[in-house]
Amino acid sequence: MIDFRSDTVTKPTDEMRSAMAEAIVGDDVFGDDTTVKELERLAAEVTGKQAAVFVPSGSFGNQLSLLTHTRRADEVICAEGIHIVDHELGAAALIAGVTMRTVNSPDGMLRGEDIRKLFHDPNSPLDAVTGLVALENALSNGRVVPLSIMKDAYDTAKELGLPVHLDGARIFNAAAALGCEVSEITACCDSVMFCLSKGLGAPIGSMLCGDEDFIKRARKNRKRMGGAMRQVGVIAAAGIVALTTMSKRIGEDNKNAEYLSQKLSQISGFSVIDKVDINMVFVSVPSSLNQQLLAEFLKKENILIIPLFEGMMRFVTHHGITKNDIDTLTELIESFCIGHNI
Ligand SMILES: *Cc1c(COP(=O)(O)O)cnc(C)c1O
């Protein structure tokens, strides 16, 4: 199957599977699992933070960060449309007990002036306490936030005495798109979550990174949330391969997405929405196109797509997708459209 639905569909590589089979494990709650410790060391190193903690998922890492940074009834300043607000099922209200105070930013990016506008004076008797700024890079819409905007937001937050969390689920794709090191992006935050289980290809897991004290407190909260795991080195071993090997090739996925967007825009009635920065392509498609039928047609040809939106389609590239696969996809879409008079 050629799977364009998401980069979460990636399967562990052969190198990952053999690393998993041979992993040295121990009880990680007792601090005995040397493989997890090595993964956490590597994650801290690549993000330029003092420490890191392994968590089961990206949402878990984000929510753990909110819980650890804030107090109940605090407000978190962020842009509308970020994953923490739109795709984590209201967990911020349930777990940390905070309110997400969103800015309607046309490009989805949060700037210093936005933070200044929403910040509450801590001495005000009438306002909730502003407890945190939450950033995202790359954004869920496939765009990357330039370092200058990240730095502007971070500097403003620091001036106001606020901690900054970064949702960097696809931070390796973002760094490749920006042509910089991951640590240059994470220099603009106090804590960062990134996913091992998306473009990096590991089967499970995300990392939360920050300073020693923050990660120590996060470790306790992880246990409270039921996310402390035992002989988890079997999974962490795949994470190490993700960080040391797979991170080096991730720029290819961005380039393939660019190639896919060019091919798609040659199909009559298809036009690419927004510039593609990372491994995701969003295209507007003719309203007469029945995406469900198209998906069924492609499935018979061993290609998977996901109809997510009306009049718009999203395709995601990853290490399981080659240029040839992209040619096959676009040729089949074209023949489907011609066959259905679209
Ligand atoms: C996928 C994703 C997450 C959450 O990851 P899960 O592992 O699916 O919980 C968080 N933020 C962004 C921007 C994502 O794309």
Side-chain angles (χ1 to χ4, degrees), residues 183-241:
S183 59
E184 291 175 71
I185 305 176
T186 53
C188 303
C189 68
D190 301 299
S191 64
V192 56
M193 181 286 292
F194 70 85
C195 293
L196 299 163
S197 58
K198 290 187 172 169
L200 293 178
I204 302 169
S206 293
M207 306 303 301
L208 179 64
C209 316
D211 70 27
E212 297 274 8
D213 174 65
F214 174 81
I215 294 301
K216 199 168 136 194
R217 291 185 295 116
R219 238 176 243 289
K220 279 206 149 181
N221 283 334
R222 181 185 66 165
K223 185 85 175 82
R224 292 188 175 106
M225 287 166 66
M229 297 172 283
R230 302 292 177 170
Q231 286 72 24
V232 71
V234 279
I235 301 170
I240 292 174
V241 176

Side-chain angles (χ1 to χ4, degrees), residues 52-275:
V53 60
F54 185 57
V55 291
S57 72
S59 304
F60 194 110
N62 280 335
Q63 295 303 327
L64 175 60
S65 178
L66 296 191
L67 179 65
T68 307
H69 276 300
T70 62
R71 292 201 268 184
R72 293 178 79 78
D74 277 2
E75 283 183 350
V76 178
I77 296 176
C78 62
E80 260 180 22
I82 66 169
H83 197 279
I84 293 173
V85 175
D86 275 12
H87 304 293
E88 296 184 13
L89 291 77
L94 184 72
I95 300 169
V98 294
T99 305
M100 304 303 293
R101 197 162 156 86
T102 57
V103 175
N104 179 350
S105 161
D107 60 7
M109 300 179 195
L110 189 75
R111 290 169 173 77
E113 59 190 283
D114 302 319
I115 298 169
R116 232 177 267 287
K117 226 176 279 168
L118 294 192
F119 175 73
H120 289 148
D121 178 348
N123 297 317
S124 159
L126 298 173
D127 295 310
V129 175
T130 307
L132 179 69
V133 172
L135 303 177
E136 191 178 87
N137 202 7
L139 295 169
S140 304
N141 64 10
R143 302 293 307 276
V144 292
V145 182
L147 287 176
S148 59
I149 294 181
M150 295 280 303
K151 193 166 173 348
D152 172 45
Y154 184 66
D155 290 347
T156 306
K158 292 293 106 180
E159 223 176 275
L160 299 170
L162 297 172
V164 175
H165 172 71
L166 171 64
D167 177 344
R170 294 189 178 87
I171 200 162
F172 286 87
N173 295 91
L178 288 166
C180 71
E181 298 294 328
V182 164
S183 59
E184 291 175 71
I185 305 176
T186 53
C188 303
C189 68
D190 301 299
S191 64
V192 56
M193 181 286 292
F194 70 85
C195 293
L196 299 163
S197 58
K198 290 187 172 169
L200 293 178
I204 302 169
S206 293
M207 306 303 301
L208 179 64
C209 316
D211 70 27
E212 297 274 8
D213 174 65
F214 174 81
I215 294 301
K216 199 168 136 194
R217 291 185 295 116
R219 238 176 243 289
K220 279 206 149 181
N221 283 334
R222 181 185 66 165
K223 185 85 175 82
R224 292 188 175 106
M225 287 166 66
M229 297 172 283
R230 302 292 177 170
Q231 286 72 24
V232 71
V234 279
I235 301 170
I240 292 174
V241 176
L243 276 184
T244 53
T245 306
M246 300 298 280
S247 61
K248 308 276 192 291
R249 57 148 307 283
I250 208 157
E252 270 175 50
D253 300 337
N254 293 357
K255 288 200 190 98
N256 280 341
E258 177 73 44
Y259 178 68
L260 173 57
S261 74
Q262 283 165 15
K263 297 285 287 189
L264 285 168
S265 60
Q266 287 162 13
I267 301 173
S268 153
F270 281 57
S271 64
V272 174
I273 302 164
D274 255 355
K275 185 176 150 287

